Amino acid sequence: MRVLVTGGAGFIGSHVVTALRERGHEPVVFDVRGDPAADVRAPDAVRAALDGVDAVCHQAAMVGLGTGFADAPEYVSRNDLGTAVLLTAMADAGVRRLVLAGSMVVYGEGRYECAGHGVVRPGPRAEEDLAAGRFEPPCPVCGAALAPGLVAEDAPADPRNVYATTKLAQEHLAAAWARATGGSAVSLRYHNVYGPGMPRDTPYAGVASFFRSALARGEAPRVFEDGNQRRDFVHVRDVASANVAALEADPPAGALTAYNTGSGTPHTVGEMARALAEAHGGPSPVVTGDYRLGDVRHITADSTRLRADLGWKPEVTFEAGMREFASAL
């Protein structure tokens, strides 16, 4: 299968390209890193890139939190306009198979259960609570403590920053394209992806990369809040294999299917920082109590559907992945 990989020179995209080659497919890299003209917002360039292509793996995006609105036009342009241009060109070219790099950020906070009120969805955390060190969101009905759990694909979307909003819009665009063309679309809602090649020392790097960069400088990783916020850290090679599995699958035509793409094993940010520090041989993490408005407390995946439908499973354990990442280039 000949697969156009947008963003194919990036962190996740480059691993997807490698995984496709290993499975005997022919990846075609489309990325502004190697060619400034290879912009998904450029209709002529996209149409040319689609020549002879059987499927598209759409990884190109502007990433990060987008907590303010100053960069909203750029996020919308790169993520949503770019996706609209790509899908229009695919419709014209008769390419009917899409795998989209989705994100768990579309959920906002994760799944919570109150002992008295069952499953509830807390709103955004108040700044006065965060400043006072009250990091856990309370039950929105009674104010009691909540138990975090795994979020499934049928959870309501609740994007809480610009980036998250654009990722949800990408899914809506892909669903509309699938309905209009009879194509098949899969969104892999990535959780916290880490591994070799992860961006470093930029505002768009992930928390694992920030911790690793600190260790490389001989500094202690600085952990926000109390370090107990739960995440699902999934290795980039496992994410790449999920993309290949989705491309090789036969999903329903005329619809978008979303899959959580995570390890299925939650860890706290503090645990991750300690694992990296131990593997690197650097100073122990420092828990700062600092916070960022717009961050969610807990978001961890239920990846059962991906495993059941596509036969995918993660291969890299948290411990092995952190040991590798501690010294990876």
Side-chain angles (χ1 to χ4, degrees), residues 46-95:
V46 173
R47 282 194 290 268
L50 286 169
D51 186 39
V53 161
D54 302 300
V56 173
C57 188
H58 185 28
Q59 304 293 318
M62 182 176 177
V63 300
L65 277 177
T67 52
F69 257 81
D71 50 6
E74 190 70 10
Y75 273 100
V76 172
S77 175
R78 292 184 179 275
N79 296 354
D80 298 337
L81 174 61
T83 298
V85 170
L86 173 66
L87 292 172
T88 300
M90 289 174 64
D92 293 342
V95 179

Side-chain angles (χ1 to χ4, degrees), residues 110-130:
R111 184 182 187 276
Y112 292 87
E113 190 165 351
C114 172
H117 297 96
V119 175
V120 294
R121 290 190 61 79
R125 295 178 294 171
E127 185 168 8
E128 56 267 29
D129 287 338
L130 297 174

Side-chain angles (χ1 to χ4, degrees), residues 166-206:
T166 65
K167 296 307 289 183
L168 183 59
Q170 283 185 312
E171 289 193 354
H172 289 318
L173 287 165
W177 166 84
R179 286 192 295 269
T181 65
S184 66
V186 170
S187 177
L188 298 176
R189 291 176 175 169
Y190 301 159
H191 280 247
N192 289 69
V193 186
Y194 74 96
M198 193 174 187
R200 297 175 60 186
D201 305 320
T202 80
Y204 309 109

Side-chain angles (χ1 to χ4, degrees), residues 206-231:
V207 64
S209 183
F210 288 135
F211 291 166
R212 185 184 178 280
S213 293
L215 290 164
R217 296 190 300 267
E219 301 172 3
R222 294 178 59 82
V223 180
F224 278 17
E225 302 187 17
D226 59 3
N228 291 324
Q229 53 272 51
R230 289 156 49 102
R231 297 291 186 268

